[in-house]
mmCIF file of all heavy atoms in Angstrom:
data_model
loop_
_atom_site.group_PDB
_atom_site.id
_atom_site.type_symbol
_atom_site.label_atom_id
_atom_site.label_comp_id
_atom_site.label_asym_id
_atom_site.label_seq_id
_atom_site.Cartn_x
_atom_site.Cartn_y
_atom_site.Cartn_z
ATOM 1 N N VAL A 1 -1.699 -9.195 -6.803
ATOM 2 C CA VAL A 1 -1.779 -10.536 -7.308
ATOM 3 C C VAL A 1 -1.061 -10.621 -8.675
ATOM 4 O O VAL A 1 -0.382 -11.682 -9.000
ATOM 5 C CB VAL A 1 -3.301 -11.023 -7.470
ATOM 6 C CG1 VAL A 1 -3.488 -12.255 -8.322
ATOM 7 C CG2 VAL A 1 -3.924 -11.157 -6.181
ATOM 8 N N VAL A 2 -1.169 -9.692 -9.523
ATOM 9 C CA VAL A 2 -0.619 -9.690 -10.802
ATOM 10 C C VAL A 2 1.011 -9.446 -10.774
ATOM 11 O O VAL A 2 1.669 -10.156 -11.447
ATOM 12 C CB VAL A 2 -1.175 -8.666 -11.799
ATOM 13 C CG1 VAL A 2 -0.425 -8.447 -13.026
ATOM 14 C CG2 VAL A 2 -2.611 -9.005 -11.984
ATOM 15 N N HIS A 3 1.408 -8.611 -9.950
ATOM 16 C CA HIS A 3 2.851 -8.148 -9.930
ATOM 17 C C HIS A 3 3.598 -8.569 -8.736
ATOM 18 O O HIS A 3 4.819 -8.316 -8.709
ATOM 19 C CB HIS A 3 2.819 -6.589 -9.966
ATOM 20 C CG HIS A 3 2.219 -6.014 -11.200
ATOM 21 N ND1 HIS A 3 2.593 -6.247 -12.505
ATOM 22 C CD2 HIS A 3 1.010 -5.302 -11.384
ATOM 23 C CE1 HIS A 3 1.906 -5.524 -13.360
ATOM 24 N NE2 HIS A 3 0.803 -5.061 -12.644
ATOM 25 N N ALA A 4 3.095 -9.250 -7.658
ATOM 26 C CA ALA A 4 3.852 -9.571 -6.581
ATOM 27 C C ALA A 4 3.735 -11.001 -6.136
ATOM 28 O O ALA A 4 2.774 -11.754 -6.600
ATOM 29 C CB ALA A 4 3.372 -8.683 -5.447
ATOM 30 N N LEU A 5 4.456 -11.368 -5.246
ATOM 31 C CA LEU A 5 4.561 -12.686 -4.716
ATOM 32 C C LEU A 5 3.612 -12.770 -3.472
ATOM 33 O O LEU A 5 3.179 -11.793 -2.925
ATOM 34 C CB LEU A 5 5.981 -13.149 -4.239
ATOM 35 C CG LEU A 5 7.080 -13.202 -5.243
ATOM 36 C CD1 LEU A 5 8.376 -13.288 -4.552
ATOM 37 C CD2 LEU A 5 6.881 -14.359 -6.153
ATOM 38 N N PRO A 6 3.141 -14.042 -3.219
ATOM 39 C CA PRO A 6 2.188 -14.135 -1.974
ATOM 40 C C PRO A 6 3.037 -13.892 -0.760
ATOM 41 O O PRO A 6 4.311 -14.028 -0.871
ATOM 42 C CB PRO A 6 1.711 -15.637 -2.076
ATOM 43 C CG PRO A 6 2.517 -16.195 -3.112
ATOM 44 C CD PRO A 6 3.247 -15.239 -4.004
ATOM 45 N N PRO A 7 2.423 -13.625 0.319
ATOM 46 C CA PRO A 7 0.968 -13.671 0.498
ATOM 47 C C PRO A 7 0.367 -12.280 0.181
ATOM 48 O O PRO A 7 1.086 -11.317 0.057
ATOM 49 C CB PRO A 7 0.798 -13.814 2.123
ATOM 50 C CG PRO A 7 2.134 -13.241 2.626
ATOM 51 C CD PRO A 7 3.198 -13.509 1.646
ATOM 52 N N VAL A 8 -0.882 -12.181 0.082
ATOM 53 C CA VAL A 8 -1.636 -11.011 -0.170
ATOM 54 C C VAL A 8 -2.651 -10.864 1.049
ATOM 55 O O VAL A 8 -3.416 -11.826 1.360
ATOM 56 C CB VAL A 8 -2.378 -10.956 -1.423
ATOM 57 C CG1 VAL A 8 -3.222 -9.689 -1.559
ATOM 58 C CG2 VAL A 8 -1.470 -11.221 -2.630
ATOM 59 N N VAL A 9 -2.524 -9.636 1.694
ATOM 60 C CA VAL A 9 -3.377 -9.396 2.942
ATOM 61 C C VAL A 9 -3.981 -8.085 2.774
ATOM 62 O O VAL A 9 -3.273 -7.098 2.499
ATOM 63 C CB VAL A 9 -2.581 -9.616 4.244
ATOM 64 C CG1 VAL A 9 -3.546 -9.378 5.369
ATOM 65 C CG2 VAL A 9 -1.846 -10.977 4.324
ATOM 66 N N LEU A 10 -5.217 -7.939 2.997
ATOM 67 C CA LEU A 10 -6.045 -6.812 3.011
ATOM 68 C C LEU A 10 -6.239 -6.209 4.446
ATOM 69 O O LEU A 10 -6.658 -7.080 5.246
ATOM 70 C CB LEU A 10 -7.434 -6.907 2.328
ATOM 71 C CG LEU A 10 -8.489 -5.790 2.552
ATOM 72 C CD1 LEU A 10 -7.870 -4.484 1.880
ATOM 73 C CD2 LEU A 10 -9.867 -6.246 1.951
ATOM 74 N N HIS A 11 -6.001 -5.017 4.726
ATOM 75 C CA HIS A 11 -6.261 -4.378 5.990
ATOM 76 C C HIS A 11 -6.995 -3.083 5.807
ATOM 77 O O HIS A 11 -6.666 -2.321 4.879
ATOM 78 C CB HIS A 11 -4.915 -4.025 6.771
ATOM 79 C CG HIS A 11 -4.071 -5.200 7.101
ATOM 80 N ND1 HIS A 11 -4.310 -6.013 8.182
ATOM 81 C CD2 HIS A 11 -3.128 -5.778 6.427
ATOM 82 C CE1 HIS A 11 -3.395 -6.948 8.252
ATOM 83 N NE2 HIS A 11 -2.665 -6.844 7.147
ATOM 84 N N LEU A 12 -8.040 -2.869 6.556
ATOM 85 C CA LEU A 12 -8.785 -1.553 6.587
ATOM 86 C C LEU A 12 -8.688 -0.946 7.941
ATOM 87 O O LEU A 12 -8.725 -1.677 8.905
ATOM 88 C CB LEU A 12 -10.287 -1.794 6.253
ATOM 89 C CG LEU A 12 -10.537 -2.428 4.895
ATOM 90 C CD1 LEU A 12 -12.015 -2.773 4.723
ATOM 91 C CD2 LEU A 12 -10.000 -1.676 3.700
ATOM 92 N N HIS A 13 -8.599 0.387 7.993
ATOM 93 C CA HIS A 13 -8.515 1.058 9.242
ATOM 94 C C HIS A 13 -9.451 2.292 9.157
ATOM 95 O O HIS A 13 -9.492 3.029 8.167
ATOM 96 C CB HIS A 13 -7.157 1.585 9.552
ATOM 97 C CG HIS A 13 -6.131 0.506 9.619
ATOM 98 N ND1 HIS A 13 -5.754 -0.146 10.729
ATOM 99 C CD2 HIS A 13 -5.401 -0.096 8.651
ATOM 100 C CE1 HIS A 13 -4.853 -1.029 10.473
ATOM 101 N NE2 HIS A 13 -4.576 -0.982 9.248
ATOM 102 N N ALA A 14 -10.106 2.538 10.294
ATOM 103 C CA ALA A 14 -10.878 3.828 10.439
ATOM 104 C C ALA A 14 -11.071 4.161 11.900
ATOM 105 O O ALA A 14 -11.124 3.194 12.708
ATOM 106 C CB ALA A 14 -12.305 3.660 9.808
ATOM 107 N N ALA A 15 -11.079 5.390 12.172
ATOM 108 C CA ALA A 15 -11.301 5.847 13.638
ATOM 109 C C ALA A 15 -12.686 5.469 14.023
ATOM 110 O O ALA A 15 -13.573 5.541 13.239
ATOM 111 C CB ALA A 15 -11.058 7.312 13.764
ATOM 112 N N ALA A 16 -12.873 4.973 15.240
ATOM 113 C CA ALA A 16 -14.147 4.504 15.785
ATOM 114 C C ALA A 16 -15.205 5.581 15.664
ATOM 115 O O ALA A 16 -16.415 5.288 15.433
ATOM 116 C CB ALA A 16 -14.015 4.063 17.205
ATOM 117 N N ASP A 17 -14.892 6.834 15.837
ATOM 118 C CA ASP A 17 -15.839 7.880 15.905
ATOM 119 C C ASP A 17 -15.952 8.746 14.628
ATOM 120 O O ASP A 17 -16.493 9.799 14.721
ATOM 121 C CB ASP A 17 -15.707 8.793 17.121
ATOM 122 C CG ASP A 17 -14.243 9.441 17.122
ATOM 123 O OD1 ASP A 17 -13.421 9.000 16.267
ATOM 124 O OD2 ASP A 17 -14.061 10.328 17.999
ATOM 125 N N ASP A 18 -15.344 8.275 13.484
ATOM 126 C CA ASP A 18 -15.205 9.001 12.368
ATOM 127 C C ASP A 18 -15.209 8.226 11.171
ATOM 128 O O ASP A 18 -14.349 7.318 11.057
ATOM 129 C CB ASP A 18 -13.865 9.836 12.493
ATOM 130 C CG ASP A 18 -13.620 10.681 11.222
ATOM 131 O OD1 ASP A 18 -14.537 10.949 10.521
ATOM 132 O OD2 ASP A 18 -12.406 11.206 11.033
ATOM 133 N N THR A 19 -16.084 8.446 10.263
ATOM 134 C CA THR A 19 -16.134 7.685 8.968
ATOM 135 C C THR A 19 -15.628 8.486 7.825
ATOM 136 O O THR A 19 -15.886 8.140 6.690
ATOM 137 C CB THR A 19 -17.716 7.224 8.658
ATOM 138 O OG1 THR A 19 -18.416 8.286 8.583
ATOM 139 C CG2 THR A 19 -18.156 6.211 9.714
ATOM 140 N N SER A 20 -15.079 9.619 8.138
ATOM 141 C CA SER A 20 -14.556 10.567 7.114
ATOM 142 C C SER A 20 -13.209 10.048 6.430
ATOM 143 O O SER A 20 -12.902 10.477 5.347
ATOM 144 C CB SER A 20 -14.517 11.884 7.540
ATOM 145 O OG SER A 20 -13.538 12.032 8.509
ATOM 146 N N HIS A 21 -12.530 9.185 7.053
ATOM 147 C CA HIS A 21 -11.189 8.787 6.623
ATOM 148 C C HIS A 21 -11.108 7.305 6.784
ATOM 149 O O HIS A 21 -11.288 6.665 7.854
ATOM 150 C CB HIS A 21 -10.009 9.458 7.294
ATOM 151 C CG HIS A 21 -9.913 10.843 6.955
ATOM 152 N ND1 HIS A 21 -10.498 11.787 7.758
ATOM 153 C CD2 HIS A 21 -9.284 11.471 6.046
ATOM 154 C CE1 HIS A 21 -10.266 13.000 7.239
ATOM 155 N NE2 HIS A 21 -9.414 12.749 6.136
ATOM 156 N N VAL A 22 -10.779 6.614 5.608
ATOM 157 C CA VAL A 22 -10.595 5.186 5.692
ATOM 158 C C VAL A 22 -9.209 4.848 5.075
ATOM 159 O O VAL A 22 -8.836 5.476 3.981
ATOM 160 C CB VAL A 22 -11.710 4.324 4.823
ATOM 161 C CG1 VAL A 22 -11.362 2.936 4.803
ATOM 162 C CG2 VAL A 22 -13.033 4.630 5.554
ATOM 163 N N GLN A 23 -8.452 4.007 5.659
ATOM 164 C CA GLN A 23 -7.168 3.657 5.128
ATOM 165 C C GLN A 23 -7.227 2.249 4.657
ATOM 166 O O GLN A 23 -7.763 1.379 5.306
ATOM 167 C CB GLN A 23 -6.089 3.718 6.304
ATOM 168 C CG GLN A 23 -5.673 5.038 6.659
ATOM 169 C CD GLN A 23 -4.506 5.073 7.651
ATOM 170 O OE1 GLN A 23 -4.323 4.097 8.354
ATOM 171 N NE2 GLN A 23 -3.935 6.208 7.825
ATOM 172 N N VAL A 24 -6.791 1.941 3.414
ATOM 173 C CA VAL A 24 -6.766 0.715 2.801
ATOM 174 C C VAL A 24 -5.300 0.388 2.706
ATOM 175 O O VAL A 24 -4.438 1.095 2.211
ATOM 176 C CB VAL A 24 -7.321 0.721 1.346
ATOM 177 C CG1 VAL A 24 -7.199 -0.635 0.706
ATOM 178 C CG2 VAL A 24 -8.781 1.114 1.516
ATOM 179 N N HIS A 25 -4.960 -0.861 3.164
ATOM 180 C CA HIS A 25 -3.575 -1.413 3.092
ATOM 181 C C HIS A 25 -3.633 -2.726 2.362
ATOM 182 O O HIS A 25 -4.476 -3.588 2.823
ATOM 183 C CB HIS A 25 -2.932 -1.542 4.397
ATOM 184 C CG HIS A 25 -2.743 -0.310 5.148
ATOM 185 N ND1 HIS A 25 -1.526 0.329 5.244
ATOM 186 C CD2 HIS A 25 -3.573 0.458 5.881
ATOM 187 C CE1 HIS A 25 -1.630 1.393 5.963
ATOM 188 N NE2 HIS A 25 -2.864 1.498 6.339
ATOM 189 N N VAL A 26 -2.784 -3.009 1.440
ATOM 190 C CA VAL A 26 -2.666 -4.384 0.850
ATOM 191 C C VAL A 26 -1.245 -4.663 0.935
ATOM 192 O O VAL A 26 -0.446 -4.083 0.277
ATOM 193 C CB VAL A 26 -3.310 -4.363 -0.598
ATOM 194 C CG1 VAL A 26 -3.020 -5.766 -1.323
ATOM 195 C CG2 VAL A 26 -4.637 -4.088 -0.698
ATOM 196 N N SER A 27 -0.942 -5.756 1.656
ATOM 197 C CA SER A 27 0.389 -6.261 1.843
ATOM 198 C C SER A 27 0.660 -7.401 0.817
ATOM 199 O O SER A 27 -0.109 -8.252 0.644
ATOM 200 C CB SER A 27 0.639 -6.638 3.233
ATOM 201 O OG SER A 27 0.434 -5.606 4.113
ATOM 202 N N ASP A 28 1.900 -7.488 0.353
ATOM 203 C CA ASP A 28 2.278 -8.641 -0.516
ATOM 204 C C ASP A 28 3.738 -8.972 -0.243
ATOM 205 O O ASP A 28 4.374 -8.383 0.499
ATOM 206 C CB ASP A 28 1.975 -8.298 -1.935
ATOM 207 C CG ASP A 28 2.866 -7.051 -2.507
ATOM 208 O OD1 ASP A 28 4.115 -7.117 -2.307
ATOM 209 O OD2 ASP A 28 2.277 -6.223 -3.028
ATOM 210 N N GLY A 29 4.156 -10.061 -0.864
ATOM 211 C CA GLY A 29 5.442 -10.541 -0.681
ATOM 212 C C GLY A 29 6.527 -10.020 -1.570
ATOM 213 O O GLY A 29 7.680 -10.518 -1.652
ATOM 214 N N GLY A 30 6.270 -8.879 -2.227
ATOM 215 C CA GLY A 30 7.288 -8.244 -2.989
ATOM 216 C C GLY A 30 7.203 -8.590 -4.462
ATOM 217 O O GLY A 30 6.432 -9.455 -4.849
ATOM 218 N N PRO A 31 7.948 -7.971 -5.328
ATOM 219 C CA PRO A 31 7.882 -8.182 -6.772
ATOM 220 C C PRO A 31 8.094 -9.538 -7.173
ATOM 221 O O PRO A 31 8.989 -10.295 -6.629
ATOM 222 C CB PRO A 31 8.976 -7.216 -7.344
ATOM 223 C CG PRO A 31 9.332 -6.367 -6.332
ATOM 224 C CD PRO A 31 9.091 -6.975 -4.945
ATOM 225 N N GLN A 32 7.275 -10.006 -8.174
ATOM 226 C CA GLN A 32 7.515 -11.350 -8.786
ATOM 227 C C GLN A 32 8.736 -11.276 -9.639
ATOM 228 O O GLN A 32 9.002 -10.250 -10.179
ATOM 229 C CB GLN A 32 6.284 -11.764 -9.603
ATOM 230 C CG GLN A 32 5.151 -12.166 -8.952
ATOM 231 C CD GLN A 32 4.080 -12.651 -9.779
ATOM 232 O OE1 GLN A 32 4.301 -12.999 -10.980
ATOM 233 N NE2 GLN A 32 2.848 -12.817 -9.217
ATOM 234 N N PRO A 33 9.434 -12.441 -9.820
ATOM 235 C CA PRO A 33 10.521 -12.492 -10.834
ATOM 236 C C PRO A 33 9.867 -12.225 -12.213
ATOM 237 O O PRO A 33 8.621 -12.524 -12.367
ATOM 238 C CB PRO A 33 10.989 -13.918 -10.718
ATOM 239 C CG PRO A 33 10.416 -14.437 -9.527
ATOM 240 C CD PRO A 33 9.275 -13.717 -9.084
ATOM 241 N N THR A 34 10.565 -11.743 -13.116
ATOM 242 C CA THR A 34 9.992 -11.447 -14.449
ATOM 243 C C THR A 34 9.351 -12.670 -15.007
ATOM 244 O O THR A 34 9.956 -13.737 -14.997
ATOM 245 C CB THR A 34 11.101 -10.994 -15.347
ATOM 246 O OG1 THR A 34 11.849 -9.877 -14.808
ATOM 247 C CG2 THR A 34 10.625 -10.489 -16.684
ATOM 248 N N THR A 35 8.106 -12.481 -15.495
ATOM 249 C CA THR A 35 7.374 -13.536 -16.055
ATOM 250 C C THR A 35 6.885 -13.002 -17.507
ATOM 251 O O THR A 35 6.769 -11.806 -17.721
ATOM 252 C CB THR A 35 6.163 -13.945 -15.249
ATOM 253 O OG1 THR A 35 5.339 -12.818 -15.120
ATOM 254 C CG2 THR A 35 6.468 -14.453 -13.923
#
């Protein structure tokens, strides 16, 4: 939100039979022009 353009999307992933690993992905529209 601070450094990138929209959109911002959160994704979480984990294996169905395993809670030992969780992946967090946050996608954005790339760097904002200098502000």
Side-chain angles (χ1 to χ4, degrees):
V1 171
V2 171
H3 301 293
L5 296 168
V8 176
V9 183
L10 169 67
H11 296 278
L12 302 175
H13 302 269
D17 58 350
D18 181 14
T19 59
S20 65
H21 291 89
V22 174
Q23 291 181 341
V24 177
H25 295 260
V26 175
S27 300
D28 62 52
Q32 285 187 13
T34 304
T35 59

